[in-house]
Amino acid sequence: MSKKPRLWISRFLSSSTMNKAKESYEVYLPEIDKPASKEEMIRLSSEVDAFLICHSEIIDSDLAQQLKPRLKIIANHSVGVDHCNLEALNSKGIVVTNTPDVLSDATAEISMLLLLGAARRAVEAQKIVREGRWDSWSPSFMVGKQVTSQRLGIIGMGRVGQAMARNARGFNMQIHYHNRKRLPQEQECEAVYHREIEELFKVSDFLSLHCPATKMTRDLINEKTIDLMPDDAVIVNAARGTLIDEEALISALISGKISGAGLDCFVKEPGGNPKFSKLKNVFMLPHIGSATAKTRDAMGFRALENLDAFFSGQNPVDQIF
Ligand code: DGY
């Protein structure tokens, strides 16, 4: 009987994923559910054939250089791969995969929650009821920004961006988008394409970010781009924290140029930016865009499918290079 490949799973994945993994792999697990240290990952790379990791495991260039030749593949349990230095892993011949598609609906759900929460002052409103301070009502009480029929700008019209557009159409929002490539007409569903990103900012009463974090997209939301936006706009981010220059957004939230922000991602994670916590017009969540039971199973299974393909001599469907 041929030996099962050895697989290190970095975090506690769904129980169905864990059970399935054990059918085909000799699985190594951490004792506690926390990100592994660099040293641990270097050591493990000499003991296992594959890593199944999350975005909490940072494989920078320095770590990638020190990974041992036994490690052949890193299957990410995430669609984002900005935590991996792809060039460095490529130069070592380590295959990298991710889990696109399966988390689009869950992430777009959270984006809609962020949008609604920021627009309708969910933080302030909930706090006042919870703290027993709701002692009056008037027509001028907790007046927010209407979502229905407003213009929604989407940056990054991939799978999650398109799922967000579908959700927003339920609110009769007018969809505008910027993407590297224009979508075919049948996928656009009448969304307005802006080749120049500046033009998109100008029409975005609401703006939702769905592009990957790269050198090109770092600080995409900054003082200049915020200035282009209509007054009172709302910004939503369930993609990656580094897309936003947080200081610029904080200033705009304080001045009122931006009336609200819905954020699931931060430059520093875990933890976030305590300056946002002081602002009542920020609706925040702790990077839980894909955190539904159904999606966690689907992410785990997709990562395992990529590993299965690799170990049976095929190209994994989500191989990044
Ligand atoms: C992703 O898949 O990139 C999500 O942010 C969760 O890691």
Side-chain angles (χ1 to χ4, degrees), residues 9-13 18 30-36 54 56-57:
I9 300 183
S10 67
R11 305 300 301 268
F12 294 180
L13 305 183
M18 297 291 207
E31 271 167 30
I32 46 173
D33 189 11
K34 71 169 184 45
C54 298
S56 49
E57 278 65 58

Side-chain angles (χ1 to χ4, degrees), residues 114 235 237 244 249 261-266 276 282-285:
L114 293 169
I235 294 178
N237 185 14
I244 296 182
L249 179 57
L263 306 173
D264 185 47
C265 296
F266 303 87
F276 283 125
V282 184
F283 182 77
M284 290 186 288
L285 299 171

Side-chain angles (χ1 to χ4, degrees), residues 218-226 235 241-258 261 263 265-268 272-279 282:
R218 190 174 187 97
D219 291 343
L220 186 65
I221 304 303
N222 56 47
E223 206 182 316
K224 275 199 190 136
T225 53
I226 288 173
I235 294 178
T242 54
L243 301 176
I244 296 182
D245 170 349
E246 292 185 340
E247 286 303 319
L249 179 57
I250 288 163
S251 302
L253 285 160
I254 291 171
S255 73
K257 166 73 188 173
I258 297 296
L263 306 173
C265 296
F266 303 87
V267 172
K268 183 177 173 295
N273 184 334
K275 289 188 190 167
F276 283 125
S277 315
K278 298 204 168 74
L279 304 176
V282 184

Side-chain angles (χ1 to χ4, degrees), residues 34-54:
K34 71 169 184 45
S37 69
K38 212 167 185 168
E39 292 67 37
E40 233 174 317
M41 289 196 265
I42 295 167
R43 180 184 58 76
L44 282 158
S45 68
S46 65
E47 294 171 11
V48 302
D49 308 292
F51 281 2
L52 200 173
I53 62 170
C54 298

